[in-house]
């Protein structure tokens, strides 16, 4: 078939409708009447509507200091899922629906509580697009029942929502109360361990002590260096003076003490005078001379007194041999400096020993400070963790107790059940429009079905399409000759369409047909021509 044969021919369809208008009209009228009567027979239905508002997080917690209270927070497991859809499913669960039915005392014709399926058949819950509002609607033939169903379902759902949130707080409180004694015990144990560690290692403040120890070690090292330098200088001076005096410090001290004693020096001068007189008399006299003997006795007595005086001054110290009991100021000054240097050397040596001992003590303490600091840090971390856990549990316990005593929820009732004006069903206008549309569709379908069973050819276009032959002429329907009838003629007698005296449209059509037949095939003209009508009769 050619492509143009399959194209929609609106004119052909219009011809079909013109031929089959009566059955199509009957089907249209019957269908519209039936649908309208069906709508009129439907029972009257009323609709009540209520609205709930959902919030991602409850704002009451901010006023009570419970900003981290996430009870009732709306969240979905999957990213693409809506948390409101979950709440819609919860509102249709068996416990919520059955409790709403019992609260409303919703009974059927037999006086029994209606089934859950029957209650859900009139219920509709939807989320208003682009908002956080949830619309709850219920349809019933009784308007009071529709309002009661919406209010009852929303009331039960809100109560269940609050109970679920409160149950979370109760479970949290019981858990915290179980964990709190163990957390307190661990905090006290960690605190006792840290205290025993400090007492055992004599620690007051480890960090300042470490800094002080390091500083003290540096200062002691500097002092030791300085003392050693002073000691070296004093020892050098001490050795120089000792080489000049030729005696040890103790002998020099004894000699100096004796030389500075008035009694010893007086006896010594007297002894020297007697000794000089004795030497002079021995030159003059013999040793047996009374003068010599007397001077010798006197010298002996003076020597004994001098020894006693020296003994009392020197403190039973033995004088060095050949000691000079009469020294000058220079030698006396040297002896004083000698003794001072000896005391200074001894003092510096003692100071160096003390500093060395202190350095040993501080160094020993400094060597254990890192380990002590590590142990203390570990104990402090344990204590801090235990105290932090205990304080956190204690704080959360107080918060949970406050939260348990308040009604926290993310759902708010923004519109109680309200009955819509008038009945929502049946919609008679809608039934009428639907009947007309359905009747029109069925009427058109009926016309084309009838046309399908009619196999006759009715138009020139159908001739061209179905037979494929050229059309030589088309003679329109006519009722008679185009001219006037004569008097006395029989109206039932056959009349010629072609008349040379009169010109008409059917006659011209016949003339055109004749011409087309003549020129159809000039060499071999047709011998037989069949003339028939396009339709029956």
């Amino acid at each position: 078939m050619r492509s143009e044969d399959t194209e929609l021919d609106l004119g052909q369809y219009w011809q079909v409708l013109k031929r089959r208008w009566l059955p199509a009209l009957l089907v249209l009228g019957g269908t519209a009447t039936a649908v309208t009567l069906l709508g009129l027979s439907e029972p009257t239905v009323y609709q009540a509507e209520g609205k709930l508002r959902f919030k991602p997080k409850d704002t009451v917690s901010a006023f009570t200091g419970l900003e981290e209270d996430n009870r009732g927070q709306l969240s979905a497991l999957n990213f693409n899922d809506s948390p409101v859809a979950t709440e819609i499913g919860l509102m249709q669960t068996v416990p919520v629906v059955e409790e709403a039915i019992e609260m409303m005392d919703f009974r059927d014709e037999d006086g029994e509580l209606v089934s859950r399926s029957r209650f859900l058949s009139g219920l509709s819950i939807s989320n208003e697009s682009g908002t956080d509002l949830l619309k709850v609607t219920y349809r019933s033939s009784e308007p009071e029942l529709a309002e009661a169903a919406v209010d009852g379902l929303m009331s039960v759902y809100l109560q269940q929502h609050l109970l679920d949130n409160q149950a979370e707080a109760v479970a949290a409180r019981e858990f915290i109360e179980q964990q709190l004694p163990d957390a307190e015990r661990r905090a006290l144990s960690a605190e006792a361990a840290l205290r025993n560690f400090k007492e055992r290692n004599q620690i007051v403040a480890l960090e300042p002590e470490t800094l002080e120890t390091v500083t003290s070690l540096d200062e002691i090292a500097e002092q030791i260096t300085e003392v050693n330098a002073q000691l070296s200088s004093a020892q050098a001076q001490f050795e120089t003076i000792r080489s000049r005096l030729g005696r040890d410090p103790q002998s020099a001290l004894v000699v100096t003490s004796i030389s500075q004693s008035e009694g010893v020096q007086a006896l010594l001068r007297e002894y020297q005078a007697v000794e000089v007189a004795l030497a002079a008399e021995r030159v003059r006299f013999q040793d047996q001379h009374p003068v010599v003997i007397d001077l010798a006795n006197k010298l002996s007595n003076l020597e004994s007194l001098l020894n006693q005086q020296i003994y009392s001054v020197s403190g039973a110290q033995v004088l060095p041999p050949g000691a000079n009991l009469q020294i000058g100021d220079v030698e006396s000054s040297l002896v004083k400096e000698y003794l001072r240097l000896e005391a200074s050397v001894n003092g510096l040596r003692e100071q160096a020993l003390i500093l060395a001992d202190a350095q040993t003590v501080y160094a020993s303490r400094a060597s254990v400070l890192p380990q002590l600091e590590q142990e203390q840090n570990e104990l402090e971390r344990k204590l801090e963790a235990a105290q932090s856990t205990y304080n956190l549990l204690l704080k959360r316990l107080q918060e949970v107790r406050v939260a348990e005593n308040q009604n926290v929820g993310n759902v708010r009732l923004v519109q109680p059940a309200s009955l819509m004006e008038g009945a929502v069903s049946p919609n008679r206008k809608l039934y009428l429009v639907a009947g007309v549309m359905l009747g029109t569709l069925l009427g058109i379908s009926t016309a084309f079905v009838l046309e399908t069973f009619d196999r006759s050819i009715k138009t020139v276009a159908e001739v061209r399409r179905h037979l494929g032959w050229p059309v030589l002429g088309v003679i329109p329907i006519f009722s008679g000759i185009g001219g006037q009838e004569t008097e006395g003629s029989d109206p039932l007698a056959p009349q010629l369409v072609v008349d040379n005296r009169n010109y008409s449209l059917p006659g011209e059509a016949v003339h055109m047909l004749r011409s087309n037949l003549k020129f159809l095939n000039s060499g071999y003209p047709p011998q037989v021509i069949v003339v028939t009508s396009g339709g029956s009769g």
Side-chain angles (χ1 to χ4, degrees), residues 46 48 104 138 140-151 417 419:
Y46 298 92
M104 293 184 305
Y138 194 87
S140 176
S141 58
E142 301 178 11
E144 296 81 5
L145 183 60
E147 287 184 322
V150 173
D151 283 334
L419 195 66

Side-chain angles (χ1 to χ4, degrees), residues 30-42:
T31 304
T33 302
V35 173
T36 303
L37 291 177
L38 178 64
L40 293 176
S41 64
E42 290 288 331

Side-chain angles (χ1 to χ4, degrees), residues 90-290:
L90 290 176
M91 293 183 69
Q92 297 176 349
T93 55
V94 175
V96 175
V97 172
E98 290 183 351
E99 187 175 351
I101 294 174
E102 293 179 359
M103 185 179 68
M104 293 184 305
D105 196 19
F106 190 10
R107 299 183 180 274
D108 56 13
E109 295 79 4
D110 299 331
E112 300 291 335
L113 292 175
V114 298
S115 62
R116 183 169 60 91
S117 59
R118 180 176 176 182
F119 180 83
L120 291 176
S121 63
L123 179 66
S124 176
I125 305 175
S126 61
N127 176 220
E128 292 190 355
S129 179
T131 66
D132 294 330
L133 297 179
L134 193 67
K135 182 170 65 175
V136 182
T137 60
Y138 194 87
R139 292 189 174 189
S140 176
S141 58
E142 301 178 11
E144 296 81 5
L145 183 60
E147 287 184 322
V150 173
D151 283 334
L153 184 65
M154 292 193 301
S155 176
V156 171
Y157 169 73
L158 290 174
Q159 183 179 4
Q160 188 68 35
H161 180 72
L162 295 178
L163 289 177
D164 291 342
N165 293 343
Q166 193 173 21
E168 294 178 2
V170 172
R173 175 182 57 79
E174 293 177 351
F175 173 77
I176 293 175
E177 288 178 348
Q178 292 177 357
Q179 299 296 322
L180 195 60
D182 292 338
E184 184 178 8
R185 187 163 48 254
R186 287 193 295 268
L188 293 176
S189 177
E191 186 177 356
L194 181 61
R195 183 175 61 254
N196 293 334
F197 170 77
K198 289 185 176 182
E199 291 176 355
R200 185 174 63 255
N201 295 280
Q202 298 180 353
I203 297 175
V204 177
L206 193 57
E207 185 175 355
E209 182 183 357
T210 302
L211 181 61
E212 183 180 355
T213 300
V214 174
T215 304
S216 299
L217 283 174
D218 293 340
E219 292 178 354
I220 290 174
E222 294 177 358
Q223 292 177 6
I224 289 176
T225 301
E226 184 179 356
V227 167
N228 288 333
Q230 294 177 1
L231 179 61
S232 299
S233 176
Q235 284 180 339
Q237 297 178 23
F238 178 77
E239 293 297 331
T240 301
I241 295 176
R242 184 171 64 177
S243 63
R244 292 185 61 182
L245 293 177
R247 59 175 69 92
D248 59 90
Q250 188 63 35
S251 299
L253 177 61
V254 172
V255 171
T256 304
S257 299
I258 294 174
S259 64
Q260 292 179 354
S261 175
E262 294 295 333
V264 172
Q265 293 301 319
L267 290 175
L268 184 58
R269 287 192 296 272
E270 186 176 357
Y271 178 82
Q272 291 175 349
V274 172
E275 189 179 18
V276 171
L278 179 59
E281 292 300 329
R282 281 180 176 174
V283 174
R284 295 173 57 192
F285 303 105
Q286 293 293 331
D287 291 338
Q288 294 78 16
H289 192 273

Side-chain angles (χ1 to χ4, degrees), residues 36 75 107 150 164 226 263 291 323 325 345 355 370 411 469 490 507 513:
T36 303
S75 60
R107 299 183 180 274
V150 173
D164 291 342
E226 184 179 356
V291 175
L325 298 180
V345 168
L355 290 175
V411 186
W469 295 343
D490 187 1
L513 175 61

Side-chain angles (χ1 to χ4, degrees), residues 454-464 466-467 533-535:
D454 187 0
R455 308 294 295 175
S456 61
I457 296 176
K458 304 172 184 64
T459 63
V460 177
E462 291 180 355
V463 172
R464 293 192 182 99
H466 294 293
L467 300 181
S533 63

Side-chain angles (χ1 to χ4, degrees), residues 271-453:
Y271 178 82
Q272 291 175 349
V274 172
E275 189 179 18
V276 171
L278 179 59
E281 292 300 329
R282 281 180 176 174
V283 174
R284 295 173 57 192
F285 303 105
Q286 293 293 331
D287 291 338
Q288 294 78 16
H289 192 273
V291 175
V292 174
I293 294 173
D294 183 52
L295 290 174
N297 291 332
K298 187 174 181 180
L299 184 63
S300 176
N301 292 331
L302 288 173
E303 184 177 3
S304 178
L305 290 175
L306 181 60
N307 288 332
Q308 291 179 0
Q309 189 68 26
I310 291 174
Y311 179 81
S312 62
V313 173
S314 63
Q317 294 291 334
V318 179
L319 292 175
N324 185 13
L325 298 180
Q326 291 179 329
I327 59 177
D329 293 336
V330 176
E331 188 174 0
S332 176
S333 299
L334 288 176
V335 170
K336 291 180 181 179
E337 184 65 19
Y338 185 48
L339 295 176
R340 187 191 66 78
L341 288 174
E342 181 189 22
S344 178
V345 168
N346 292 333
L348 290 173
R349 286 176 178 173
E350 186 66 24
Q351 187 176 0
L353 292 176
I354 294 174
L355 290 175
D357 292 340
Q359 187 180 32
T360 303
V361 172
Y362 277 106
S364 176
R365 183 65 173 177
S367 64
V368 300
L369 283 178
Q371 182 179 358
L372 294 177
E373 185 175 5
Q374 181 180 359
E375 294 179 6
Q376 179 177 336
N377 290 338
E378 183 177 357
L379 292 174
E380 287 179 347
R381 283 194 299 269
K382 291 181 179 180
L383 176 60
E384 183 179 0
Q387 289 179 342
S388 176
T389 303
Y390 175 72
N391 293 332
L392 179 61
L393 288 175
L394 194 60
K395 177 183 177 182
R396 292 301 297 171
L397 179 61
Q398 300 300 325
E399 293 177 352
V400 167
R401 285 176 177 173
V402 173
E404 184 180 355
N405 294 325
Q406 69 178 4
N407 293 327
V408 179
N410 293 54
V411 186
R412 298 289 183 271
L413 178 64
V414 295
Q415 176 184 319
S418 59
L419 195 66
M420 297 185 64
E421 296 181 0
V424 295
S425 178
N427 190 341
R428 293 176 176 81
K429 294 181 180 179
L430 180 62
Y431 272 98
L432 179 59
V433 173
V436 171
M437 294 178 64
L438 181 60
T440 302
L441 179 61
L442 292 178
I444 294 174
S445 301
T446 302
F448 281 98
V449 169
L450 294 176
E451 187 69 19
T452 303
F453 290 103

